[in-house]
Amino acid sequence: GEWKVNGWLMEAVNLFFAISPMETSDYGPFQARDKIPLKRDLEKAGVRVLRQPTNRGYGASLKAGIRAATTEYVLTMDADGQHRVEDVQAVCLAALGADQRVDCVIGHRTKLLHSPLWRMPGKWFLTNLARVLTGKRIGDLNSGLRIMRREVILRYVHLCPSGFSFSTTSTFALASRGY
């Protein structure tokens, strides 16, 4: 439910805010009453909430946040409860904790069914197509949890749609170009 996601999101904010500035981008106006307390909590914690004047879509929200960011890396994650704070820590450590920093790390959901059954054949097809086209095995093509070097994703963000295939498109763009 909403409370669980809000609590998880605030836990992530409290954990990572001391490390770097944080921003979040919404899909559109906060019209639902249950979102207003979350927005206020985020702003009180020092998170800059980028407001979209209209619901422009998932990808548009991510692109706005990436373009507005001022940090070397940007982290994207869906607030749907599919990832834990520990997952966020793991992708950050994989990107930033190595001797040589990497350009992109994509989280991997371990839950067997993280999508409706009717979407699974399409996801299977796209995952295998990605492997053929990029020559790389990508464990979770559609994962919303990823950390990317901002200067790298900015080169390809214009290719990403404003809708729900931002994750897939950005993965294809980066993996096919050697990232």
Side-chain angles (χ1 to χ4, degrees):
E2 191 69 32
W3 181 86
K4 183 178 178 185
V5 172
N6 291 352
W8 175 88
L9 185 57
M10 288 309 299
E11 185 180 346
V13 167
N14 291 331
L15 178 68
F16 289 102
F17 189 73
I19 297 172
S20 65
M22 288 188 70
E23 299 171 359
T24 186
S25 182
D26 65 20
Y27 277 52
F30 278 92
Q31 294 174 347
R33 291 179 184 245
D34 62 338
K35 299 267 195 248
I36 293 170
L38 173 62
K39 182 183 92 152
R40 287 185 188 140
D41 289 346
L42 289 170
E43 289 175 333
K44 283 180 187 174
V47 175
R48 183 170 66 139
V49 178
L50 304 174
R51 291 174 187 84
Q52 306 299 318
T54 60
N55 184 340
R56 297 172 33 219
Y58 172 80
S61 179
L62 292 177
K63 291 192 291 186
I66 290 167
R67 288 180 176 129
T70 58
T71 54
E72 180 181 0
Y73 283 85
V74 291
L75 174 87
T76 66
M77 64 180 174
D78 300 337
D80 58 6
Q82 290 190 23
H83 294 287
R84 301 166 300 147
V85 173
E86 294 82 13
D87 300 327
V88 176
Q89 289 174 308
V91 295
C92 289
L93 286 173
L96 308 172
D99 291 335
Q100 183 177 359
R101 291 183 171 194
V102 298
D103 294 313
C104 180
V105 175
I106 300 172
H108 186 209
R109 296 169 287 190
T110 56
K111 185 177 173 185
L112 181 60
L113 293 175
H114 48 267
S115 294
L117 283 175
W118 62 271
R119 293 180 65 195
M120 298 309 274
K123 288 181 177 276
W124 176 87
F125 174 77
L126 283 175
T127 298
N128 284 296
L129 179 63
R131 184 175 57 222
V132 169
L133 293 178
T134 66
K136 298 177 182 180
R137 185 181 181 283
I138 301 168
D140 190 353
L141 182 66
N142 303 103
S143 176
L145 177 61
R146 53 189 63 220
I147 185 169
M148 301 165 283
R149 191 180 301 269
R150 184 174 171 267
E151 71 179 38
V152 172
I153 191 60
L154 280 174
R155 293 178 199 152
Y156 306 105
V157 77
H158 68 282
L159 300 173
C160 297
S162 293
F164 274 103
S165 62
F166 178 93
S167 300
T168 303
T169 304
S170 63
T171 302
F172 267 109
L174 295 176
S176 66
R177 287 163 178 85
Y179 294 104

